[in-house]
Amino acid sequence: MHQFFQQLLDGIASGALYGAMALSIVLVYRASGIVNFAQGEMAMFAAFIAWQSYAWGLPILVAILIAMVVAFFAGAVFERVLIRPFGTEPSGHAALVIVTLGLMLMLNSGAAWIWGHLVKEVPPVFGGGAISIAGGSMSRQNLGIILVVAVGAAVLFVLLQRTKSGLAMRAAASNPESARLSGIPVGRMLMIGWALAGAIGALVGALAAPTLFLQPNMMATLLMYAFAAATLGGFDSPVGALVGGLIVGVSENLAGTYIGFIGNEFKQAVALFIIMVVLLVRPQGLFGSRTVTRV
Amino acid sequence: MTTKTARAQGGGRSRKGLLKRLAAPVRPLDAPIWLRLGTFAVVLAIGVLIPLNSPTYVNFDLSMVMVYAIVGMGLNLLTGFNGQISLGHSAFFATGAYIAAVMIKNDYNYLLTIPIAVVVTWVLGYLFGMPALRLRGLQLALVTLSLAIVTPALIKRLDNITKGQEGINVFLPEPPAWTGLAADQWVYFICLIALAIAWILTRRLSTGRVGRSLVGIRNNELVAQTLGVRASRVKTGVFALSAAYAGFAGVLYTYVVQFVGPDSFGLVMAITFISIIVVGGLGTISGAILGAAFIQYLPKVTSGAGDSAAGFFYGLALVAFMFLMPSGIAGLINLALGPMVRRLPGRRPLAAAPVGSGDMAQVADAPGDEPAEPAEGAAEPGAMSAPRAGGADSSG
């Protein structure tokens, strides 16, 4: 029982990261209707920027902030330069998948080119040590991650649901044509969606770096968990992304502990399994809205 | 605002001159049959002669080009013709490679591994394609991408068979004495024969009924179904077939490289495979070879800049080709040779020739003005689905 509770706590901590990453994927999906396959690599690259700033002597919090700002603008630039020229019609999606894959490869190899494949040491933002919670223990870093993700999600929720620009963003995402007719600058809103996603990804990258070990391939697995979370929650639901992240994090940890074949090294299979099952059984996810195709 | 709308409607492209011509969908070359067969024969003859006078490393590189070209052809059937994007073909490739490595290590005849790997990857592809056909576009990309990410971990997990991280060294037996060939030449010829088979098979498939149903599903699945195409069966079938191509190529990879290890078959390889068909030209057969040459030789050009530079340029090429030249190198060649080829005698015109016109040149030009494919020119702004419904390949 104690072990179960401990696994649950660890699962929630990693699930918070998956959920946050899934949130950035969902933001892009809602804005542009595509999955940005480069999202994980953007986060990884931002984590490297944070590390580099830290290595140059800045305090770690400032370094993360810098990385988030850079990623914010990078996200906007990517949307404007690489994505928008293909239009928002579904027929351009296949081309966009390939473009984001190209971006993914460029960022991945680019980071390896600049910083090499050796693992970089990143200090935990919230200090070392652990806190005991109801019999289980949780590292201060993990607790910090959960809090940051919770606060970040709350801020985002307020931004999207309670502000004028949030309303404009939601309008632009759900019906570009009508939004445009009512005077909303749809293009700018899509750009902001990408920019926000970039900033969130950067935060996730910087928070995950101490546990995942900072190196160019660190995000592949996390990206996959995030995809599983987004699929489970529904690709157009920010709430679903967070809930999905928690479910994926917990089930991955429990499966790793209690299912012999999966063990500690093969937990990734859980993500693939979840993605497959959800897409087959309930393609729109738990919170997603069903799309009806009219011909 | 209005300009933005207009651009979105025009497929988001408002470029001029050369750039515009490059970005436009390229018409099939439609070369006369004698030119097609002739080109094939010349390429084959050159392919036979090269290894006899080349050092080992040249043969090695060319063999790898052929291995990748086979993957590219399979992937092209799936993505170029059928419009399904798979990012997971590195998994099938790895399956083929590991089947070969494990069997050769256990003293089975190395040629026996080919049919077994092809059958196994075909079945795997079929099983994977069955749910996949319910998924479309992005979802399929998601699932297959996850497959690519999981593959190295799975190989490490099955370490009692695959030897995990350590990998397997493979020692091929000497080539038969009657051939008088060196080991690298022998492997080269196996790859050449395999490539020729793949070429012919792909060509047969892509130009006939099957090819039309593939393209039909790509362009509009519902319409294709209405016309009697069994979309789900075709999609699963082509997924399984392209997986088998990848498995076949995986076996050849083991022959050529003589080593398999889990980290070769990761995500980067999966996306590199996509580079093959995008750079070479989606929906073209020769494009697979051109793209394969690109990914094999690019690292040699960039090696001075560092090991990771090649990956960066693969990615850059993906983006750049999608923007500037969505029809790839093959499309560029089509564009360059098109005017010349259209003047050659002996073409089989696409449209019915006007009776009694007598003038060969006029007949040959007629289809040029009015492409015979119906349903073409329909709004297809997406660069991916540049309509190439006709004899959808170039002859080179």
Side-chain angles (χ1 to χ4, degrees):
Chain A
M1 195 59 218
H2 175 255
Q3 191 194 21
F4 178 82
F5 186 67
Q6 185 60 46
Q7 292 302 325
L8 202 65
L9 283 184
D10 290 351
I12 290 172
S14 42
L17 280 182
Y18 304 157
M21 196 70 215
L23 195 60
S24 69
I25 291 166
V26 164
L27 276 179
V28 164
Y29 185 82
R30 273 162 47 110
S32 302
I34 63 159
V35 171
N36 178 12
F37 288 99
Q39 200 79 55
E41 307 307 300
M42 282 165 68
M44 175 273 298
F45 208 88
F48 265 105
I49 292 176
W51 173 82
Q52 188 67 70
S53 318
Y54 175 75
W56 281 333
L58 291 169
I60 184 73
L61 284 177
V62 178
I64 292 178
L65 210 62
I66 290 176
M68 284 178 70
V69 171
V70 172
F72 183 88
F73 287 107
V77 169
F78 287 151
E79 197 279 334
R80 187 68 195 82
V81 177
L82 294 179
I83 305 301
R84 205 179 306 170
F86 285 93
T88 46
E89 314 290 312
S91 55
H93 283 179
L96 283 176
V97 168
I98 292 181
V99 169
T100 58
L101 285 172
L103 187 60
M104 177 183 198
L105 207 50
M106 279 167 76
L107 289 172
N108 183 294
S109 306
W113 198 1
I114 300 173
W115 288 291
H117 277 287
L118 287 181
V119 172
K120 304 276 184 282
E121 190 119 2
V122 181
V125 187
F126 306 100
I131 293 171
S132 82
I133 302 169
S137 76
M138 179 174 269
S139 67
R140 292 167 67 98
Q141 173 73 2
N142 278 352
L143 193 64
I145 287 174
I146 295 175
L147 290 178
V148 167
V149 170
V151 171
V155 169
L156 201 67
F157 179 82
V158 171
L159 183 73
L160 284 177
Q161 303 288 335
R162 296 279 182 272
T163 65
K164 197 108 190 213
S165 39
L167 183 67
M169 275 183 70
R170 285 188 291 142
S174 73
N175 192 338
E177 201 58 32
S178 309
R180 198 172 279 134
L181 288 174
S182 34
I184 292 168
V186 171
R188 195 182 305 158
M189 291 302 145
L190 301 190
M191 219 156 95
I192 294 175
W194 275 75
L196 280 177
I200 295 174
L203 184 63
V204 173
L207 291 178
T211 29
L212 284 179
F213 305 113
L214 183 58
Q215 45 98 2
N217 291 325
M218 73 173 198
M219 274 295 168
T221 322
L222 203 151
L223 182 72
M224 195 162 109
Y225 289 127
F227 279 152
T231 315
L232 184 60
F235 261 97
D236 52 0
S237 160
V239 179
L242 288 169
V243 176
L246 290 179
I247 298 177
V248 170
V250 169
S251 52
E252 165 233 24
N253 256 301
L254 293 181
T257 315
Y258 293 105
I259 301 178
F261 176 74
I262 289 176
N264 211 22
E265 306 99 64
F266 196 44
K267 290 195 279 190
Q268 300 167 20
V270 177
L272 178 62
F273 179 76
I274 290 177
I275 294 177
M276 281 290 261
V277 169
V278 173
L279 288 181
L280 289 178
V281 176
R282 195 180 155 85
Q284 74 271 30
L286 296 175
F287 296 86
S289 50
R290 194 180 263 274
T291 50
V292 179
T293 318
R294 231 187 297 167
V295 185
Chain B
M1 211 74 252
T2 34
T3 50
K4 266 177 206 156
T5 320
R7 283 172 69 192
Q9 279 162 357
R13 297 169 187 289
S14 59
R15 298 189 188 82
K16 293 178 196 105
L18 183 65
L19 280 182
K20 196 171 178 185
R21 280 180 65 201
L22 287 176
V26 176
R27 262 191 296 140
L29 205 47
D30 191 36
I33 289 176
W34 60 265
L35 183 62
R36 289 189 177 173
L37 292 179
T39 317
F40 187 82
V42 169
V43 170
L44 202 63
I46 295 174
V48 169
L49 290 177
I50 286 177
L52 303 176
N53 311 300
S54 304
T56 311
Y57 69 93
V58 172
N59 290 345
F60 175 86
D61 284 341
L62 287 173
S63 304
M64 285 308 290
V65 169
M66 294 191 278
V67 169
Y68 289 139
I70 293 173
V71 182
M73 285 177 184
L75 207 52
N76 225 337
L77 278 177
L78 185 71
T79 308
F81 288 96
N82 199 220
Q84 306 186 61
I85 293 188
S86 166
L87 314 177
H89 269 50
S90 61
F92 302 117
F93 190 79
T95 310
Y98 264 95
I99 286 177
V102 171
M103 281 181 67
I104 293 171
K105 216 172 146 26
N106 289 313
D107 292 328
Y108 288 93
N109 184 330
Y110 63 100
L111 289 176
L112 183 68
T113 59
I114 292 178
I116 291 182
V118 167
V119 169
V120 169
T121 45
W122 194 89
V123 170
L124 281 181
Y126 196 86
L127 292 177
F128 210 77
M130 264 198 304
L133 72 87
R134 292 187 51 186
L135 316 173
R136 52 192 70 225
L138 292 172
Q139 298 178 332
L140 182 62
L142 265 183
V143 174
T144 49
L145 181 90
S146 312
L147 185 64
I149 294 177
V150 165
T151 302
L154 181 64
I155 294 173
K156 286 175 199 162
R157 183 70 193 82
L158 298 173
D159 52 359
N160 47 353
I161 308 169
T162 61
K163 300 193 114 193
Q165 191 72 55
E166 194 184 322
I168 303 174
N169 277 305
V170 180
F171 299 100
L172 283 189
E174 289 296 308
W178 54 267
T179 58
L181 294 172
D184 60 305
Q185 293 169 331
W186 176 244
V187 169
Y188 175 98
F189 278 116
I190 295 177
C191 293
L192 187 65
I193 292 169
L195 181 66
I197 294 172
W199 186 342
I200 293 167
L201 181 66
T202 315
R203 200 178 144 66
R204 298 297 304 164
L205 283 174
S206 61
T207 50
R209 256 177 66 146
V210 180
R212 283 192 184 276
S213 41
L214 292 178
V215 174
I217 291 170
R218 178 192 75 193
N219 288 350
N220 193 331
E221 188 170 336
L222 210 64
V223 171
Q225 270 177 327
T226 319
L227 294 172
V229 176
R230 296 191 178 195
S232 58
R233 187 187 282 185
V234 172
K235 279 164 81 177
T236 323
V238 72
F239 195 94
L241 186 70
S242 68
Y245 271 75
F248 188 14
V251 174
L252 300 175
Y253 171 90
T254 303
Y255 291 176
V256 178
V257 179
Q258 313 214 338
F259 172 78
V260 289
D263 292 323
S264 329
F265 303 106
L267 189 57
V268 172
M269 178 181 255
I271 305 178
T272 306
F273 285 168
I274 302 287
S275 311
I276 297 179
I277 56 173
V278 170
V279 170
L282 286 165
T284 63
I285 297 172
S286 56
I289 301 176
L290 298 170
F294 172 80
I295 68 159
Q296 177 62 23
Y297 287 105
L298 181 81
K300 304 199 185 314
V301 181
T302 60
S303 61
D307 287 342
S308 308
F312 181 81
F313 284 106
Y314 291 153
L316 189 65
L318 276 179
V319 175
F321 272 85
M322 268 351 259
F323 264 84
L324 302 176
M325 230 162 58
S327 50
I329 300 176
L332 194 67
I333 292 175
N334 271 15
L335 203 66
L337 297 184
M340 225 183 307
V341 170
R342 269 187 276 282
R343 284 193 177 70
L344 291 172
R347 292 172 67 230
R348 210 167 33 174
L350 289 170
V355 184
S357 82
D359 185 355
M360 203 53 213
Q362 207 183 328
V363 174
D365 273 340
D369 302 322
E370 202 124 280
E373 294 83 13
E376 271 208 6
E380 282 285 350
M384 268 286 296
S385 36
R388 269 178 228 96
D393 72 324
S394 66
S395 66

